Amino acid sequence: MEDDEHVTTTIGGLADPLKLENCGTLLINNIARLKDHYDKWCVRHGLGKGRAWAFIKNNPPANTMHELWNAEKHGSGYSLQVHGEEIVLGGKPVDLLFDTQTMAATVRGGAFVRLRATILDSDGVAVGDFETTCASAVDAWLQELTAAGVKL
């Protein structure tokens, strides 16, 4: 696929399936753990606890990421069905790094490997596309953090 911003080529063998799934799990962990960091930030800034849970419960992509994280920790529930990977050159990936003390964010770009996967619920029914859900959850978190006054 080629457009004004991306050149995408599907290739195989970049990583074995377990390594790909591990990368997905790490991304899930990083997104879902924003809840814990946000809770701490809210307490330090006089907003109390509970805002993060309220946000997750009212935001389907963030909730899905949290469900995946819980499934990874407890061994049941949501799961990933990995289909493979793509390498994207010249694209604009979401590479979002958070400082856990200040919640300052750094965004980087460049070539990246895209994990293609489907999110499955506990019955094996497809809930959504992994990349789309991750991007939507990150966008929603950015809006929530900005609205709360977190400096990004």
Side-chain angles (χ1 to χ4, degrees):
M1 176 185 92
E2 193 167 332
D3 61 33
D4 291 341
E5 296 180 16
H6 300 88
V7 175
T8 304
T9 304
T10 303
I11 57 176
L14 289 177
D16 68 48
L18 290 177
K19 287 181 181 177
L20 281 174
E21 192 167 342
N22 189 49
C23 289
T25 300
L26 184 58
L27 180 57
I28 292 163
N29 179 61
N30 288 338
I31 294 170
R33 292 245 10 243
L34 287 172
K35 179 196 117 1
D36 297 333
H37 298 302
Y38 185 44
D39 269 341
K40 290 176 186 176
W41 185 90
C42 286
V43 169
R44 283 195 314 263
H45 291 83
L47 300 176
K49 275 194 159 191
R51 282 180 69 118
W53 271 121
F55 166 74
I56 288 171
K57 288 178 184 176
N58 291 311
N59 186 280
N63 188 53
T64 298
M65 299 310 295
H66 207 266
E67 290 288 342
L68 282 166
W69 188 45
N70 280 332
E72 178 64 28
K73 291 189 301 183
H74 304 296
S76 62
Y78 282 33
S79 63
L80 284 183
Q81 180 181 42
V82 177
H83 304 294
E85 72 278 353
E86 298 175 331
I87 188 164
V88 179
L89 303 173
K92 296 180 181 176
V94 177
D95 186 9
L96 191 59
L97 307 171
F98 280 93
D99 180 304
T100 59
Q101 296 299 313
T102 65
M103 290 299 288
T106 304
V107 180
R108 295 188 297 196
F112 63 99
V113 174
R114 173 182 286 151
L115 173 66
R116 294 185 303 118
T118 302
I119 301 169
L120 306 176
D121 69 11
S122 56
D123 295 322
V125 176
V127 174
D129 173 71
F130 180 64
E131 181 180 8
T132 302
T133 303
C134 289
S136 296
V138 168
D139 287 344
W141 269 113
L142 286 172
Q143 290 175 11
E144 173 66 18
L145 296 171
T146 300
V150 175
K151 298 209 188 306
L152 302 176

